[in-house]
């Protein structure tokens, strides 16, 4: 590992080794390997992931690579928007961060917040932070869906109550009531990975309503296919030229079953409610 990676200025909390969480922890490995492969093919630049994640010998399908490209690009744009609005006078809590390399990539762009925390399981947040008043960004990528609706609602309410000025970014499944969604659920169950919170992933409206009913003042949501259509055309043309995709319909189905949601509280003087995609 490179010298610059040996002593990063952020906090990582260790996750428990409870066997009940084994299936969920396995998704971290899967996602990390997929990101590592996409980077190796050229979908986006990430010089740090190679130090954290092994390169799989198995080639990943183009629709998977494009899906991860949209996910990384979408989350990254919202993170940078928040950082610019707050002029980096804020902190970031990355919930269920896994092998995420956002810290180092932000450092390269001179966009590090005042504080950056990485946390394996969201429930550990309560043991770390009690009286923080700086603008705070919380990030959850495929985290809430593994919690029961009651647990995720309690977390969202806690966050809305604990921070006066904040933004919450959530990436996870949506439109899970249709046949394609049911197949996704069944496939995960075969791997002993149950989506405990899938009932809150019925639609974009249900995603926004969960945030608003938990005390957040504004909420927005967009499915990943719509987000993909809003990506810079030059970038889309570049990544689409990397690999041939003969099943555009499959990509559309996958993208329509994932979404990016964000909610804000306070920060009217910063214009947080104006953040959009």
């Amino acid at each position: 590992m490179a010298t610059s990676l040996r002593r990063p200025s952020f906090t990582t909390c260790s996750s428990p080794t409870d066997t009940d969480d084994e299936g969920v922890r396995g998704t971290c490995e899967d996602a990390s390997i997929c990101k590592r492969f996409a980077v190796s093919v050229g979908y986006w630049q990430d010089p740090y992931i190679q130090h954290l994640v092994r390169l799989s010998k198995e080639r990943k399908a183009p629709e998977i690579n494009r899906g991860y490209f949209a996910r990384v690009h979408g989350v990254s744009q919202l993170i940078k928007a928040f950082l610019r609005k707050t002029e980096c006078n804020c902190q970031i809590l990355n919930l269920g961060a896994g092998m995420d390399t956002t810290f180092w990539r932000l450092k390269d762009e001179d966009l590090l917040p005042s504080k950056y925390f990485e946390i394996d399981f969201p429930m550990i947040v309560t043991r770390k932070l009690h009286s923080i008043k700086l603008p705070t960004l919380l990030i959850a990528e495929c985290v809430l869906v593994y919690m029961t609706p009651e647990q995720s609602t309690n977390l969202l309410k806690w966050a809305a109550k604990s921070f006066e000025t904040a933004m919450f970014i959530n990436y996870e499944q949506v439109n899970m009531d249709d046949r394609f969604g049911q197949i996704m659920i069944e496939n995960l169950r075969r791997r002993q990975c149950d989506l405990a919170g899938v009932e809150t992933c019925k639609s974009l409206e249900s995603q926004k309503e969960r945030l608003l009913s938990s005390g957040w003042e504004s909420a927005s949501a967009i499915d990943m296919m719509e987000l993909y259509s809003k990506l810079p055309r030059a970038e889309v043309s570049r990544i689409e030229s990397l690999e041939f995709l003969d099943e555009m319909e499959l990509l559309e189905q996958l993208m329509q079953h994932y979404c990016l949601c964000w909610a804000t509280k306070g920060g009217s003087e910063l214009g947080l409610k104006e953040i959009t995609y």
Side-chain angles (χ1 to χ4, degrees):
M1 187 176 291
T3 302
S4 61
L5 301 185
R6 288 176 182 164
R7 298 185 64 184
S9 55
F10 65 97
T11 301
T12 301
C13 299
S14 298
S15 57
T17 56
D18 192 331
T19 55
D20 291 340
D21 294 320
E22 186 174 351
V24 176
R25 293 199 304 273
T27 65
C28 169
E29 178 71 2
D30 291 345
S32 298
I33 290 174
C34 286
K35 287 182 179 180
R36 174 76 166 90
F37 181 84
V39 167
S40 73
V41 177
Y43 278 80
W44 69 92
Q45 298 296 316
D46 187 342
Y48 303 107
I49 196 169
Q50 62 182 317
H51 300 292
L52 304 174
V53 183
R54 62 182 174 85
L55 181 60
S56 173
K57 295 180 180 179
E58 178 186 357
R59 189 174 186 85
K60 303 302 178 183
E63 59 268 20
I64 299 298
N65 294 329
R66 293 186 190 182
Y68 274 99
F69 171 79
R71 168 179 172 175
V72 170
H73 191 283
V75 173
S76 178
Q77 288 300 104
L78 289 176
I79 290 173
K80 292 175 185 178
F82 180 88
L83 289 169
R84 290 180 178 122
K85 288 288 187 181
T86 62
E87 298 181 339
C88 294
N89 295 314
C90 61
Q91 60 184 348
I92 290 179
L93 280 71
N94 195 337
L95 310 181
M99 298 296 105
D100 186 73
T101 60
T102 298
F103 172 85
W104 293 287
R105 289 185 283 117
L106 289 176
K107 184 178 180 181
D108 283 349
E109 296 186 48
D110 198 25
L111 283 174
L112 276 183
S114 300
K115 294 181 181 179
Y116 190 106
F117 297 94
E118 287 198 347
I119 302 171
D120 288 339
F121 289 108
M123 303 309 286
I124 300 176
V125 174
T126 56
R127 296 162 50 186
K128 286 284 182 180
L129 304 167
H130 297 287
S131 306
I132 296 175
K133 298 180 179 179
L134 293 170
T136 301
L137 173 62
L138 300 97
I139 306 166
E141 294 186 55
C142 290
V143 173
L144 302 186
V145 72
Y146 293 111
M147 306 165 68
T148 65
E150 181 181 6
Q151 289 171 331
S152 63
T153 296
N154 287 340
L155 173 62
L156 291 170
K157 286 182 176 179
W158 168 83
K161 183 178 179 180
S162 299
F163 307 109
E164 295 181 5
T165 303
M167 178 173 173
F168 198 106
I169 298 175
N170 181 38
Y171 171 90
E172 66 180 1
Q173 291 85 344
V174 73
N175 298 324
M176 296 298 282
D177 272 352
D178 64 17
R179 181 55 186 157
F180 191 88
Q182 292 305 305
I183 291 174
M184 291 172 63
I185 294 171
E186 291 165 8
N187 287 339
L188 284 167
R189 281 177 178 165
R190 291 193 191 99
R191 298 170 52 197
Q192 297 182 331
C193 185
D194 189 35
L195 300 181
V198 73
E199 69 177 70
T200 60
C201 302
K202 293 180 179 179
S203 66
L204 294 177
E205 288 303 315
S206 67
Q207 290 280 9
K208 290 189 290 185
E209 177 56 31
R210 173 171 60 169
L211 292 163
L212 293 172
S213 64
S214 297
W216 293 86
E217 296 171 0
S218 70
S220 303
I222 182 174
D223 72 54
M224 297 308 291
M225 195 63 229
E226 184 178 352
L227 187 148
Y228 191 82
S229 70
K230 295 176 180 291
L231 295 175
R233 289 297 92 192
E235 271 293 273
V236 171
S237 296
R238 183 186 68 81
I239 67 112
E240 289 185 348
S241 69
L242 294 173
E243 296 178 294
F244 176 69
L245 175 62
D246 59 354
E247 294 188 33
M248 189 63 185
E249 183 180 351
L250 178 56
L251 174 66
E252 291 177 355
Q253 286 182 312
L254 282 171
M255 295 283 211
Q256 288 167 355
H257 285 81
Y258 283 90
C259 67
L260 190 59
C261 314
W262 61 99
T264 65
K265 178 191 174 188
S268 57
E269 72 285 358
L270 299 172
L272 294 188
K273 288 185 179 181
E274 299 169 10
I275 292 178
T276 187
Y277 204 89

